[in-house]
Amino acid sequence: MSASKAHSLSTNHTYTYIHHPPTSPKPTILLLHGFPSTSYDWRHQIAHFTAQGYGILAPDLLGYGRTSKPIALAAYKTKSMASEIIEILDHEGISKVHGVGHDTGCTLLSRLADYFPERLLSCSFLDVPYMKPGVHFDLETVNTGTRSVMGFERFGYLEFFVRDEAGDVLDRFGDSFFTLFYPDDAELWVEHVGPMGAMEKWLLADRRGPWPSYITEEERLTHQRLMQGNHKSALNWYRALVWNINEKDESQENLDPVLSMPVLMLSPSSSKLEVPGVEEGMKQVASDLVIRRVSTAGHWVQLEARDEVNAILGGFFRG
């Protein structure tokens, strides 16, 4: 039986999502994907945890898959998107969840924890930490800082991502982008993603890296089918960050950057890509904190280290 559903919300946005009710007294896990992804990138976690009796709710987030793709940037405010996730939970009769985020999904999980802490049994941040509310994001300062500390600009690609033409370029050079953003060797990002202008240069030359060993050819084709034509709308998540559209809302609400629920920070193994201070920062906002690492160094921990991630998450949920 298919678990895929669609629901139209009070905002007039329609979300598609995978929903498996629990088959035991266990709670539901909310899975929030990042970029360039959909709920499909949680396939190994969905199979594992449904077999364990957990419930699953894995939405295709705004701008992705068959979920609505509004043009107005204001639709991508994290406050409104968090409210939309809560509306889906209400529609399915789910009161509390274990929230799990990856990449930009961690930003949305951060705001769910700020605005709706009573709905979260726990928060698990995969590779990307909790983002404090109301903080002004200055891309130039961030890149200058990482260049000083790490020896290269870690987030230079964001300057390309927020351009109007970026989505069309990603669609046009889909295979080139796939082998770069889902690399077989994570250190490909040190030279070809982080530095300013590096990603655009890679794409326009239609360069190809090795196919990732952790994704089958069938899975790659499915991913490309789901993302083709959707990169432009999905990139609005980065425009929202770089253009600080959430700063005013979050500052006015005086959100307290303290996580009251149990928190897991799950990171890759140490590498040249690791931004210093992540674990120290998490200790400042979460008193009930578990810090774990997997044996692989790549960004896509839920794919590259699926068995380790599933075991760590399962132990955290039970603990």
Side-chain angles (χ1 to χ4, degrees):
M1 183 175 66
S2 172
S4 181
K5 294 186 176 183
H7 180 55
S8 296
L9 307 180
S10 58
T11 54
N12 293 322
H13 295 155
T14 296
Y15 274 71
T16 56
Y17 54 94
I18 294 168
H19 180 223
H20 292 277
T23 56
S24 72
K26 296 176 180 177
T28 292
I29 305 166
L30 172 68
L31 299 169
L32 303 172
H33 67 78
F35 176 90
S37 189
T38 62
S39 57
Y40 182 63
D41 269 0
W42 295 114
R43 54 192 176 274
H44 303 300
Q45 287 66 49
I46 292 169
H48 175 81
F49 285 107
T50 53
Q52 299 290 319
Y54 285 92
I56 292 287
L57 186 79
D60 291 331
L61 296 173
L62 201 67
Y64 291 90
R66 290 178 290 131
T67 290
S68 293
K69 300 169 185 63
I71 296 172
L73 187 61
Y76 296 85
K77 286 188 174 184
T78 46
K79 181 180 181 180
S80 60
M81 292 192 297
S83 296
E84 289 177 333
I85 297 300
I86 295 300
E87 190 170 340
I88 295 170
L89 294 179
D90 290 344
H91 173 72
E92 295 293 349
I94 302 169
S95 59
K96 293 178 181 288
V97 294
H98 289 295
V100 180
H102 176 255
D103 189 72
T104 51
C106 292
T107 304
L108 184 55
L109 181 58
S110 299
R111 294 298 85 84
L112 280 167
D114 293 333
Y115 289 114
F116 303 100
E118 72 282 356
R119 304 299 293 268
L120 293 170
L121 296 166
S122 69
C123 288
S124 296
F125 296 90
L126 274 55
D127 195 36
V128 174
Y130 169 79
M131 180 178 286
K132 291 183 179 180
V135 176
H136 182 78
F137 184 85
D138 187 305
L139 181 57
E140 183 177 356
T141 299
V142 168
N143 278 322
T144 300
T146 55
R147 184 170 62 246
S148 174
V149 173
M150 302 174 68
F152 67 100
E153 295 140 342
R154 179 65 177 83
F155 301 101
Y157 63 93
L158 292 181
E159 187 275 333
F160 168 65
F161 273 1
V162 300
R163 291 193 221 156
D164 289 341
E165 70 273 18
D168 293 332
V169 174
L170 298 185
D171 284 339
R172 184 175 155 207
F173 298 101
D175 286 341
S176 174
F177 179 53
F178 181 84
T179 62
L180 178 62
F181 231 61
Y182 287 81
D184 194 52
D185 181 351
E187 289 201 2
L188 194 67
W189 285 18
V190 173
E191 184 177 353
H192 298 292
V193 173
M196 295 280 287
M199 175 181 285
E200 186 178 16
K201 183 178 179 180
W202 171 285
L203 294 171
L204 295 180
D206 200 17
R207 290 189 63 174
R208 313 291 173 93
W211 294 113
S213 57
Y214 50 89
I215 295 177
T216 67
E217 176 64 7
E218 182 180 358
E219 290 170 336
R220 181 188 71 82
L221 292 172
T222 299
H223 175 275
Q224 297 295 66
R225 176 177 55 81
L226 291 169
M227 286 305 302
Q228 183 65 28
N230 292 337
H231 289 104
K232 184 174 183 178
S233 56
L235 286 171
N236 280 318
W237 286 66
Y238 290 105
R239 297 183 182 106
L241 170 67
V242 174
W243 298 341
N244 288 287
I245 71 168
N246 296 294
E247 184 180 5
K248 184 177 179 181
D249 286 345
E250 294 168 5
S251 297
Q252 288 180 342
E253 299 233 5
N254 293 315
L255 297 173
D256 187 7
V258 174
L259 299 170
S260 57
M261 67 292 295
V263 176
L264 170 67
M265 182 69 229
L266 179 53
S267 302
S269 60
S270 295
S271 74
K272 295 178 182 178
L273 292 166
E274 183 172 336
V275 178
V278 167
E279 294 182 358
E280 292 76 9
M282 291 297 292
K283 290 175 183 176
Q284 293 175 9
V285 298
S287 58
D288 188 353
L289 175 65
V290 174
I291 295 175
R292 296 291 301 274
R293 289 181 183 264
V294 296
S295 61
T296 58
H299 174 67
W300 301 97
V301 291
Q302 75 272 42
L303 301 174
E304 298 176 55
R306 64 197 66 167
D307 293 337
E308 292 176 68
V309 167
N310 291 346
I312 292 168
L313 286 173
F316 176 65
F317 298 152
R318 292 190 299 272

